[in-house]
Structure formats: C-alpha cells, structure tokens
Amino acid sequence: MTIFRTASRALTAMAVTATAAVLPVNIAVAEPVSCAPWAHHTVAAGYGILENLGFDGRGNLLLAQQSVTGSAGSLQRLGADGSTSVAVDDIDGPGSILVIGDIAYFTAGNSAASALTDRADGSIRALHLDTGAVTTVATGLTMPNGLAQLPNGDFVVSRDIGAGTLTRVGADNIATPYAPSLSSTNGLAFDRPRNRLVVSTTFTPESVVAAVDYADSDSPPRQVVIPGAGLLNAADDLTVGPDGKVYVALNVAGRIEQVDMETGQTCPIADGLPLSSSARFGSGPGWDPNALYVTSFLGTVTRLTPPAP
C-alpha cells in the first residue's frame, strides 16, 4: 500500500508538473565523487508511513506518521532507550518537524488531495515540549510539506505537487511567495553559518538542491544537480550536517546523497534504503551526533554511521 501511494504521488506530479523545470541559472554540475559507505543499523520498524523526524533534545525522536490516505496521522515519540509513546494524535497529513528550543513545530495538511484541489487546509502547529500542549501558529496553507524558520522568525513551507512553490509565512499569518524561481519544492533547512535556505526539488526533470540567499531571496539561487532522472530520484527531505554539506533522502532511488554546495560535487553515502523520506543528525541524550538517522515510508528508522577517519 505504501508503494502504491508513492507511485500515485509520482504519477500525479508528472501530470501536474510535466512542464515545470528549475531555471538553468547558477547551476553547478561536477563529476560525481566516491564516498566511503556509511554503516546501516535499523533502530526501529513497524511504524506506518514515516514522513519526517526531529529530535526533541530530551532523549526522544519525534516521528511524523501518516496513513496511506494522509489522514489520521500522528507524531510518535521514540526514546533512545526504545520506549514509545504518542506525542500528538489525530493529525491530518503531518509533514516536517522543526525543533527550536522548547517547541517542536510541525506542518499538517500535507496531502496530495489538498494540493490537487488547491485546498488551503494546511497549517503550522507547535507542540510545547514542557507541557504537551499544541497550539496553531499559521493556517490557510496548501500542502505544507517542508518547514524552516528564517532568522527574522518567519517560517517557510514547501509544496512539491501542484504549484510546487515556496511560501513565506510571517508572524501576522500573511503568506507570500518565496524564491519564486524554484518549483516542486520539498526538503528545507536553514543553513545559519552561510545565511541561506537549502531546498530540494522532487518532481522536476533533474533533482536539484538549491541555496537561497537570505539577503536576496528573489535572485536565482545557486543549484547543484544530483545525478539521475529527477522522478527516479524523487529527492525528499534534507539536512545540513556539521561539516556544512547537505544530506538528501532520495525516496524512489532509496539512497542518501551527500551534496557539497560549494564545489557542486555529490556522492551517495548509503543505498538500499527504499522510500527514504527524511534524515537528521542525532541530537540530545542517547542519540549519536555523528550519525544520520533516516525515516522511510516503510515505517523504519535507520541509523547511518560514518566510517572511521
């Protein structure tokens, strides 16, 4: 059922975005390089469709779990000791998780049905980690998928089906377009040391990772192309590592790609990870900060450990 859902998303996106392409401006294309493979270890299995993850800094991993239809989802809590519990129940289409201090922000309404009908039923919500209370930060969004926060406190959400654009959401809940040259946007991470928003594209002819300059977000961003056909890669969520490189989950290709935004070089660090959806470096008690933790639509959490230097 999960594979059917993924195939349906791909076919739908092909029909809707067949003519969409990332603008061929400021693109870096370098010869692929070899990366030493990272070791795999399954941390957890048996979940539903896992869309995203985030560490709460309290020894827990938060997991955005969806159903095949996108409704009746939840935020699951996985402790470093293997304990499990439900952090937030009854969420339609949970998407990205972004932990900032004592709050775990997450998107809801991340469904293909909302995108295809342009239904603005999506939102950004906040789980207050100290109390467990959930509040609504923003409403009126269409299929908010990825989530990042800009230095001034505004949020940015992505949408990979339909218009596929980025949306900036201010404190007044007013939504405006952001970095309009990008389409079929998905993974988001703000790279603070370099003052830029890193973005992946999913259903474009080529898989692109773009770096949007915060100081000039309307200018065409620097872009790196990941080898392979865009639809067969299906670049999903991403993260920026301590080394400044970007780590992208390629959903359909089933691999994690390392991307150097400065040189344009890319290389796979792990493959054989079907329907990978998101990746984060460990954070908080019990989680290895040097390891990359990967979720999948097959309901697994995998730890990737880099080779010894």
Side-chain angles (χ1 to χ4, degrees):
M1 294 173 70
T2 301
I3 294 174
F4 172 77
R5 176 178 180 270
T6 306
S8 297
R9 280 183 63 189
L11 290 172
T12 299
M14 284 198 311
V16 176
T17 64
T19 59
V22 179
L23 294 181
V25 177
N26 203 15
I27 290 182
V29 180
E31 288 296 320
V33 296
S34 296
C35 281
W38 293 31
H40 299 202
H41 174 73
T42 301
V43 174
Y47 285 99
I49 297 168
L50 293 181
E51 175 73 20
N52 209 267
L53 76 159
F55 292 93
D56 69 0
R58 292 157 165 76
N60 301 304
L61 178 58
L62 299 175
L63 301 166
Q65 177 178 261
Q66 289 195 5
S67 66
V68 174
T69 62
S71 62
S74 62
L75 290 192
Q76 298 288 322
R77 187 186 292 112
L78 173 64
D81 60 359
S83 61
T84 60
S85 58
V86 178
V88 184
D89 208 355
D90 196 24
I91 309 168
D92 283 346
S96 186
I97 301 171
L98 175 65
V99 179
I100 301 175
D102 296 329
I103 299 177
Y105 297 96
F106 63 95
T107 60
N110 174 31
S111 71
S114 293
L116 292 173
T117 59
D118 255 353
R119 194 167 63 228
D121 58 351
S123 61
I124 301 172
R125 302 182 194 177
L127 166 63
H128 299 263
L129 296 168
D130 290 335
T131 65
V134 177
T135 57
T136 299
V137 175
T139 58
L141 304 172
T142 302
M143 196 194 178
N145 190 336
L147 176 65
Q149 188 177 49
L150 301 176
N152 71 342
D154 289 355
F155 289 97
V156 177
V157 295
S158 63
R159 172 182 172 183
D160 61 356
I161 297 176
T165 55
L166 295 174
T167 299
R168 181 173 184 162
V169 184
D172 51 8
N173 198 29
I174 294 178
T176 55
Y178 194 73
S181 66
L182 298 174
S183 61
S184 193
T185 56
N186 194 320
L188 299 178
F190 194 83
D191 184 357
R192 287 189 174 273
R194 297 157 193 84
N195 207 37
R196 61 193 185 188
L197 181 69
V198 183
V199 186
S200 65
T201 68
T202 301
F203 298 117
T204 43
E206 293 179 311
S207 299
V208 167
V209 179
V212 179
D213 184 357
Y214 175 62
D216 189 12
S217 60
D218 288 333
S219 294
R222 178 173 178 78
Q223 303 174 22
V224 174
V225 175
I226 297 174
L231 290 174
L232 298 181
N233 284 334
D236 209 318
D237 198 26
L238 54 74
T239 193
V240 178
D243 56 2
K245 294 178 181 177
V246 180
Y247 295 81
V248 188
L250 302 185
N251 191 291
V252 173
R255 73 177 190 268
I256 307 301
E257 196 83 6
Q258 181 191 85
V259 178
D260 189 324
M261 296 302 299
E262 310 311 319
T263 65
Q265 291 180 321
T266 68
C267 66
I269 63 167
D271 56 19
L273 298 171
L275 304 181
S276 295
S277 55
S278 186
R280 297 285 184 275
F281 281 88
S283 179
W287 301 96
D288 184 354
N290 298 310
L292 198 60
Y293 293 83
V294 179
T295 52
S296 80
F297 285 178
L298 299 181
T300 61
V301 179
T302 301
R303 182 178 69 234
L304 301 179
T305 306

